[in-house]
């Protein structure tokens, strides 16, 4: 990675300010893969349970996320394909708040996809591409004002001082300041070009630009620097962990994905906006590019998750363990008249009238739901006759149905005594 090509992108959609070439010097004081500066969000509020196992919080699989991609913020739009005015940008950030869409950190989106962290039902992730200084000077204060997290996708030669980092480019110092403020910084290649083999590539060496096509080993070597080298440089220069890759122009193929996966990227991003669901593949996550010349894109994106029935019809299955159920899933109780309980606080805002409990052999039971504690409970009054009992608790949370199933056993010969587990003195035959 000491050896770097300097390359100029095709002047397709973006207006790059080309500038002097400057060999970047990477600080090697920290190994790659240092700890992430992003605030490590605490796990959702799940009741502590005395088991050594790591508890996964309840994950709402019907939640949806829209991801926005912004470029430059300027007062006077000259390139409506990549610019937006600060006023329009701020109005959009306000609209997210007004419409009840929660802006979450990118790392929360990924943790949700891993099943590790719950997110609100309707979320947005805000990203900025390419590393413009207006993102630091204009967008950053607006995001701070709203308390929104965001992600920067940086192509390393486009940082000030890099071969493509002109006067409008963000600096490493500004990136470091963002990092110190918990902003997520991720990779967007080294030189921002179409990464697919066989496409024209602009190489800049000693200030000279050469348009060429790279194939075979030469292409692979170039790709290493674009995909792996850019990640390492960001990680070393900023002492961060990079796990996201935004593909330049959203142009990729299987080979590009493969290299990115091999480089340790957890997620890859394109610019084909779509609501992200729990099952959306992580190697082609669509983002809505919001630009001055397409004011409708933002509105359409909001509508997509505002009215989407894609997830609304589905039932989110939540793990019984996350509900601290009593009896626990798989437990065997010694009474045929158990107290059945579940804690729904981790599920989200529950509509009190919507909570329902079904017990195998009994059907829907008149369970009590206490909105204060989030606990649904039912004292079985009619002896359970089977060796095992399945409980289904369902509820509506912000318009979506969530459901948990679990099964416990009943010791053979259990009596209808007290609900407290008690050894049965003389098991009947
Ligand atoms: Zn870009």
């Amino acid at each position: 990675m000491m050896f770097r090509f300097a390359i100029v992108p095709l002047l397709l959609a973006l207006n790059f300010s080309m500038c002097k070439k400057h060999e970047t010097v990477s600080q090697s004081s920290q190994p790659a893969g240092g700890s992430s500066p992003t605030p490590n969000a605490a796990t959702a509020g799940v009741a502590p349970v005395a088991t050594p196992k790591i508890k996964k919080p309840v994950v709402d699989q019907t939640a949806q996320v829209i991801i926005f991609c912004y470029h430059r913020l300027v007062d006077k739009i000259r390139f409506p394909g990549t610019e937006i005015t600060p006023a329009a940008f701020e109005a959009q950030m306000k609209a997210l708040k007004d419409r009840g869409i929660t802006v979450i950190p990118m790392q929360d989106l990924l943790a949700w996809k891993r099943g590790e962290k719950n997110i609100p039902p309707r979320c947005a992730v805000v990203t900025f591409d390419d590393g413009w200084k207006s993102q630091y000077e204009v967008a950053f204060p607006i995001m701070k004002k709203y308390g929104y997290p965001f992600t920067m996708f940086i192509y390393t030669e486009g940082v000030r001082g890099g071969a493509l980092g002109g006067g409008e480019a963000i600096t490493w110092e500004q990136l470091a300041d963002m990092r110190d403020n918990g902003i997520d910084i991720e990779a967007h290649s080294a030189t921002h070009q179409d990464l697919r083999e066989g496409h024209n590539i602009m190489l800049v060496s000693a200030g000279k630009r050469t348009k060429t096509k790279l194939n075979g080993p030469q292409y692979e070597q170039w790709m290493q620097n674009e995909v792996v080298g850019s990640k390492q440089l960001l990680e070393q220069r900023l002492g961060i962990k990079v796990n996201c890759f935004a593909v330049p122009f959203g142009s990729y193929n299987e080979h590009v994905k493969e290299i990115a996966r091999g480089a340790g990227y957890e997620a890859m991003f394109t610019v084909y906006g779509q609501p992200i669901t729990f099952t959306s593949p992580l190697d082609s996550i669509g983002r809505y590019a919001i630009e001055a010349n397409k004011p409708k894109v933002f509105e359409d994106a909001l509508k997509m998750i505002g009215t989407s029935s894609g997830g609304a019809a589905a039932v989110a299955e939540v793990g019984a363990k996350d509900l601290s159920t009593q009896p626990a899933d798989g437990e065997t109780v010694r009474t045929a008249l158990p107290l059945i309980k579940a804690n729904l606080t981790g599920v989200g805002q529950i509509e009190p009238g919507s909570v329902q409990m079904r017990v195998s052999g009994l059907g829907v039971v008149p369970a009590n739901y206490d909105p204060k504690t989030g606990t649904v409970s039912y004292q079985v009054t009619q002896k359970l006759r089977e060796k095992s009992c399945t409980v289904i608790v369902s509820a509506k949370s912000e318009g979506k149905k969530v459901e948990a199933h679990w099964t416990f056993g009943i010791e053979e010969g259990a009596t209808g005594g007290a609900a407290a587990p008690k050894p049965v003195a003389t098991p009947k035959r």
Side-chain angles (χ1 to χ4, degrees), residues 14 16 69 71 129-130 153 155 188 192 246-249 287:
L14 306 179
F16 292 109
C69 160
H71 287 89
D129 278 23
D130 300 348
F153 280 113
Y155 68 100
H188 190 33
H192 205 291
V247 187
F249 312 111
R287 298 180 296 159

Side-chain angles (χ1 to χ4, degrees), residues 152-198:
M152 297 284 288
F153 280 113
I154 300 296
Y155 68 100
T156 46
E157 289 294 349
V159 180
R160 184 91 63 88
L164 307 169
E168 294 301 309
I170 201 163
T171 68
W172 285 106
E173 290 70 28
Q174 289 167 336
L175 285 172
D177 186 42
M178 283 181 156
R179 170 203 64 198
D180 292 344
N181 281 278
I183 305 309
D184 186 40
I185 298 168
E186 303 290 348
H188 190 33
S189 83
T191 63
H192 205 291
Q193 303 193 67
D194 193 324
L195 297 178
R196 295 168 297 178
E197 186 169 10

Side-chain angles (χ1 to χ4, degrees), residues 141-320:
I142 295 171
M143 296 301 277
K144 265 187 194 161
K145 179 176 155 188
Y146 284 87
Y148 289 165
F150 60 94
T151 291
M152 297 284 288
F153 280 113
I154 300 296
Y155 68 100
T156 46
E157 289 294 349
V159 180
R160 184 91 63 88
L164 307 169
E168 294 301 309
I170 201 163
T171 68
W172 285 106
E173 290 70 28
Q174 289 167 336
L175 285 172
D177 186 42
M178 283 181 156
R179 170 203 64 198
D180 292 344
N181 281 278
I183 305 309
D184 186 40
I185 298 168
E186 303 290 348
H188 190 33
S189 83
T191 63
H192 205 291
Q193 303 193 67
D194 193 324
L195 297 178
R196 295 168 297 178
E197 186 169 10
H199 283 74
N200 282 326
I201 284 165
M202 195 75 87
L203 302 175
V204 174
S205 184
K208 273 190 185 173
R209 291 167 195 171
T210 324
K211 203 173 174 184
T212 184
K213 267 185 193 170
L214 297 178
N215 286 299
Q218 278 185 311
Y219 164 78
E220 298 300 338
Q221 190 189 351
W222 176 77
M223 273 293 277
Q224 280 296 309
N225 187 53
E226 291 295 319
V227 181
V228 185
S230 61
K231 178 179 193 282
Q232 290 175 341
L233 183 59
L234 286 171
E235 290 184 333
Q236 292 177 3
R237 204 69 209 227
L238 297 169
I240 57 175
K241 181 177 165 63
V242 169
N243 63 352
C244 296
F245 185 64
V247 187
F249 312 111
S251 307
Y252 62 87
N253 57 23
E254 269 312 310
H255 185 62
V256 173
K257 284 192 201 176
E258 221 176 275
I259 293 179
R261 256 181 245 122
Y265 290 108
E266 187 178 345
M268 291 174 68
F269 297 81
T270 71
V271 287
Y272 309 107
Q274 56 188 300
I276 308 306
T277 67
F278 189 71
T279 53
S280 300
L282 277 172
D283 62 3
S284 54
I285 298 183
R287 298 180 296 159
Y288 293 93
I290 307 300
E291 318 300 357
N293 61 358
K294 295 176 212 144
K296 251 181 85 4
V297 174
F298 182 82
E299 270 307 312
D300 288 348
L302 296 203
K303 276 184 208 148
M304 283 300 285
I305 58 167
T307 58
S308 173
S309 58
V315 177
E317 180 74 33
V318 298

Side-chain angles (χ1 to χ4, degrees), residues 18-168:
M18 311 302 170
C19 222
K20 70 213 157 157
K21 176 180 192 288
H22 175 90
E23 208 63 35
T24 48
V25 181
S26 57
Q27 298 163 346
S28 50
S29 55
Q30 290 223 342
S35 65
S36 168
T38 28
N40 220 341
T43 44
V46 175
V49 180
T51 66
K53 282 181 195 159
I54 295 163
K55 281 264 149 193
K56 280 191 179 180
V58 175
V59 168
D60 174 6
Q61 296 190 7
T62 67
Q64 290 191 326
V65 184
I66 41 177
I67 308 178
F68 296 110
C69 160
Y70 293 93
H71 287 89
R72 298 180 73 183
L73 288 91
V74 294
D75 288 316
K76 263 193 160 176
I77 303 288
R78 285 190 302 153
F79 302 95
T82 53
E83 296 173 343
I84 187 168
T85 65
F89 174 75
E90 179 157 4
Q92 291 178 353
M93 294 304 104
K94 183 173 181 298
L96 295 177
K97 187 154 270 175
D98 293 345
R99 309 270 194 99
I101 294 169
T102 311
V103 178
I104 60 168
M106 179 69 84
Q107 297 304 322
D108 279 13
L109 165 62
L110 297 181
W112 170 64
K113 296 279 285 173
R114 291 192 298 261
E116 292 173 5
K117 180 169 185 173
N118 201 21
I119 58 170
R122 296 162 74 227
C123 296
V125 170
V126 180
T127 70
F128 296 91
D129 278 23
D130 300 348
W132 297 97
K133 87 176 171 191
S134 65
Q135 294 164 349
Y136 179 82
E137 291 171 352
V138 184
F140 190 21
I142 295 171
M143 296 301 277
K144 265 187 194 161
K145 179 176 155 188
Y146 284 87
Y148 289 165
F150 60 94
T151 291
M152 297 284 288
F153 280 113
I154 300 296
Y155 68 100
T156 46
E157 289 294 349
V159 180
R160 184 91 63 88
L164 307 169
E168 294 301 309

